[in-house]
């Protein structure tokens, strides 16, 4: 039966999951929109709890009238299909190449970092305190489906000992140039907040402090993570 009412319970639930981090955390569920993202979930073997598609589109899922589905979509342009998924969190950060993010609060940066992590074959993205929700709509969209392909872990304040291998704090203008480090074995790259960077105690606890040589003060956090992954995978090709 086609859903024709904006007040349908499934749609109400989807709006809450899209709009409220608390609701996602409480239910342990999130929403992804669009055929490409849903295909990425399918490819990763991540089943949908619920799938809704525009009536007559031929796409799988419960059929919904186009204007009604658009009312539950977080995309300005509406969507042809969306689905609800169970969140998945890795039990702990995983090597051999892990990214640790501290206070990265822009969901677009979280999604972009996940996309780069998948592109360069990183094994995990570990989220420290005050990071944006990787399962929020902006992060999911910016990840372009990488969220379904890269394990995501949570790391509490003061739990840096959980991070795998040698830790490298990325700090603009400090320490050695990243490409000059002699590295082997498992690695975790630490990336700081958009405005404040990494806290001093994290820099001090890291095995190395390193920078990416540039002509200006700093790069955006997601750009720095991407360049670091490029450098590290070039230094020690998988
Ligand atoms: C926008 S920057 C933070 C700038 C902050 N004002 C500072 O001085 O640390 C966000 C994060 O990106 C990384 N980053 C940015 N540019 C970098 C560079 N040239 N070398 C190493 N890391 C960099 C660092 O991890 C930094 O914490």
């Amino acid at each position: 039966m086609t859903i024709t009412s904006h007040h349908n319970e499934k749609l109400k639930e989807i709006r809450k999951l899209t709009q409220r981090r608390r609701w996602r955390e409480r239910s342990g569920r999130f929403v992804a929109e669009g055929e490409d993202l849903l295909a990425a979930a399918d490819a990763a073997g991540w089943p949908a709890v619920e799938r809704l598609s525009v009536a007559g589109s031929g796409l799988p899922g419960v059929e919904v009238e186009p204007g009604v589905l658009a009312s539950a979509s977080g995309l300005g342009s509406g969507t042809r299909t969306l689905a609800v998924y169970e969140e998945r969190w890795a039990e702990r950060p995983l090597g051999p190449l892990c990214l640790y993010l501290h206070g990265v609060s822009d969901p677009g940066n979280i999604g972009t970092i996940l996309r780069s992590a998948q592109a360069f074959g990183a094994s995990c993205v570990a989220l420290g305190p005050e990071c944006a929700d990787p399962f929020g709509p902006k992060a999911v969209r910016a990840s372009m489906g990488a969220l379904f392909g890269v394990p995501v872990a949570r790391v509490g304040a003061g739990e840096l000992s959980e991070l795998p291998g040698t830790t490298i704090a990325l700090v603009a203008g400090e320490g050695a140039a990243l490409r000059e480090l002699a590295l082997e074995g498992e690695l975790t790259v630490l990336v700081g907040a958009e405005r404040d960077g990494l806290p001093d105690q994290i820099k001090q606890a890291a095995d190395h402090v390193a920078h990416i040589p540039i002509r200006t003060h700093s790069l955006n956090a997601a750009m720095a993570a991407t360049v670091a992954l490029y450098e590290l995978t070039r230094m020690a090709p998988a």
Side-chain angles (χ1 to χ4, degrees):
M1 209 173 75
T2 302
I3 297 176
T4 56
S5 167
H6 294 271
H7 305 295
N8 176 278
E9 288 303 318
K10 290 183 200 295
L11 296 177
K12 282 190 196 166
E13 176 66 16
I14 286 166
R15 282 187 208 105
K16 281 194 266 192
L17 287 172
T18 306
Q19 291 163 10
R20 296 195 219 159
R21 182 175 189 165
R22 283 258 171 83
W23 196 263
R24 291 192 294 276
E25 286 170 353
R26 211 159 87 185
S27 63
R29 291 181 171 184
F30 69 103
V31 176
E33 299 195 37
E35 285 140 272
D36 292 345
L37 263 63
L38 273 52
D42 290 342
W46 193 319
V49 178
E50 191 75 72
R51 197 160 174 150
L52 306 182
S53 296
V54 162
S57 65
L59 294 167
V62 176
E63 295 207 329
V64 187
E65 278 190 356
V68 175
L69 188 61
S71 75
S73 168
L75 303 176
S77 53
T79 188
R80 273 160 52 87
T81 187
L82 56 76
V84 176
Y85 296 93
E86 300 280 357
E87 294 185 358
R88 287 184 188 173
W89 293 92
E91 274 181 29
R92 74 189 82 81
L94 307 165
L97 178 54
C98 177
L99 278 175
Y100 167 78
L101 312 182
H102 191 101
V104 175
S105 60
D106 177 338
N109 280 340
I110 299 281
T112 303
I113 288 169
L114 282 162
R115 189 174 178 182
S116 294
Q118 187 179 40
F120 289 107
S123 45
C124 182
V125 173
L127 303 176
E130 287 159 54
C131 283
D133 180 6
F135 296 104
K138 284 190 186 154
V140 173
R141 209 154 51 236
S143 84
M144 290 294 288
L147 176 71
F148 296 108
V150 179
V152 179
R154 278 186 274 234
V155 178
E159 291 173 16
L160 288 193
S161 56
E162 281 192 17
L163 298 175
T166 302
T167 49
I168 306 165
L170 274 190
V171 185
E174 291 188 25
L178 180 61
R179 62 171 168 258
E180 312 274 305
L181 294 181
L183 299 166
E184 55 182 31
E186 300 205 331
L187 300 175
T188 299
V189 178
L190 319 179
V191 178
E194 288 85 355
R195 186 182 166 83
D196 296 332
L198 286 168
D200 285 345
Q201 86 265 18
I202 292 202
K203 293 188 212 170
Q204 283 152 16
D207 297 309
H208 299 279
V209 172
H211 66 272
I212 298 159
I214 53 173
R215 293 184 183 188
T216 54
H217 174 64
S218 68
L219 295 164
N220 155 282
M223 293 306 108
T226 303
V227 174
L229 286 172
Y230 173 73
E231 285 279 19
L232 291 168
T233 51
R234 223 167 48 123
M235 286 156 77

